[in-house]
Amino acid sequence: MEELPYALMSHSGGSRGFPKNYETIVKKHFQILYMEEYSKNKNVYAPKIQALLLWWHLPILDKQLLDSLPNLKVIASSGAGVDHLDLKLIKSYGILVSNTPGVGNDSTADMGMTLMLASAKNVVKGNTISCSSDTKEFDFNWVGDDITEATLGIIGMGSIGYCIAQRAKAFRMRILYHNRNRRTLEEEAAVGAEYCSNMTDLLQRSDFVMVVVTLTPETHNLIGKEELQFMKPTATLINISRGQVIDQDALAEALNKGIIKAAALDVTHPEPLPRNHPLLTAKNIIVTPHIGNATDKTRRRVAEKIVQNASAMLKGLPVKDIVTAP
């Protein structure tokens, strides 16, 4: 029986390593080698490693590591985003790269809706009040916001953004969207979405603004002080893309000054934020620890996808998730 190729991974278990209960998925196609063992026996293992499987928290992927892996042919990365990879450097070694777009669309879209609903309905504050030992009575004149028939502005109508629009339609929301490329008229009609060629127009009209863009140099600080000023003072900003897409200092100021009503973030930069960061004590904010697609079903599918991609690339089979260098 032919020996399975070696795949290098960061580490096993814990809060940031590859889940032990997913290792059987990898072992169907690869022999797993973790960084600690590799570092101790580089001379033995370096020539054997053909694949690098990147879970959510990866080893330092730099020239030094790539130079030490003479037979590395493929890098399979979890998640759709590849902003953590130096694609030009990797390509210079002739190494193929794949990602897992689409696998987490539904769970991430669910998270976007969850954050919007939780913020609008004061779920986090309500739980604190309900569980507090100091609570003697409830203020029944304390109200939140309606989602149903409100206006949702989606910035970034890619696959996840469209999944959000499908969910928002069920709430009879008016859907506006801004995207680099306009969707087809049929796609717009299916969810009742209106295209805004100007993002300012979307910001001014939306009760809820959800950011779902890919992080690129063009989208870095896409939402800054000026953009926040365009939003309604009653509006809520939701970010499920990348923390760098929003000017976090400007957002904290906007919340504290009442420029916008609330914000709900599943992503920040860095993650976690420093404990003294002004966002953590800003008014009307919810921050969650980048758990948009953190479900067992989705994570298993991601693990299966990175393994399938890596195995197929090594065999010279077609893989639709190949990432090209810019």
Side-chain angles (χ1 to χ4, degrees), residues 97-130:
V97 177
S98 70
N99 60 349
T100 60
V103 178
N105 287 357
D106 284 326
S107 56
T108 304
D110 288 349
M111 187 65 186
M113 297 300 291
T114 299
L115 287 173
M116 181 166 61
L117 285 162
S119 182
K121 297 300 182 182
N122 296 316
V123 170
V124 175
K125 288 184 180 179
N127 178 72
T128 300
I129 292 169
S130 298

Side-chain angles (χ1 to χ4, degrees), residues 236-261:
T236 297
L237 177 68
I238 303 110
N239 186 16
I240 56 171
S241 56
R242 289 289 188 269
Q244 299 96 313
V245 170
I246 292 177
D247 182 333
Q248 296 176 151
D249 292 334
L251 176 58
E253 181 181 8
L255 290 167
N256 289 328
K257 290 184 176 180
I259 294 170
I260 65 171
K261 181 178 181 179

Side-chain angles (χ1 to χ4, degrees), residues 1-7 9 18 21-32 53 300 303-308 310-312 314-315:
M1 183 175 178
E2 186 178 353
E3 184 181 54
L4 293 175
Y6 277 81
M9 303 182 74
F18 189 72
N21 56 328
Y22 296 173
E23 287 184 346
T24 55
I25 297 171
V26 183
K27 290 177 179 178
K28 292 177 182 178
H29 298 276
F30 293 98
Q31 298 184 66
I32 299 175
L53 307 183
R300 282 183 178 276
E304 290 167 353
K305 191 66 171 175
I306 62 173
V307 171
Q308 290 167 2
S311 179
L314 283 181
K315 295 173 183 176

Side-chain angles (χ1 to χ4, degrees), residues 128-136:
T128 300
I129 292 169
S130 298
C131 296
S132 173
S133 59
D134 297 327
T135 298
K136 306 301 180 186

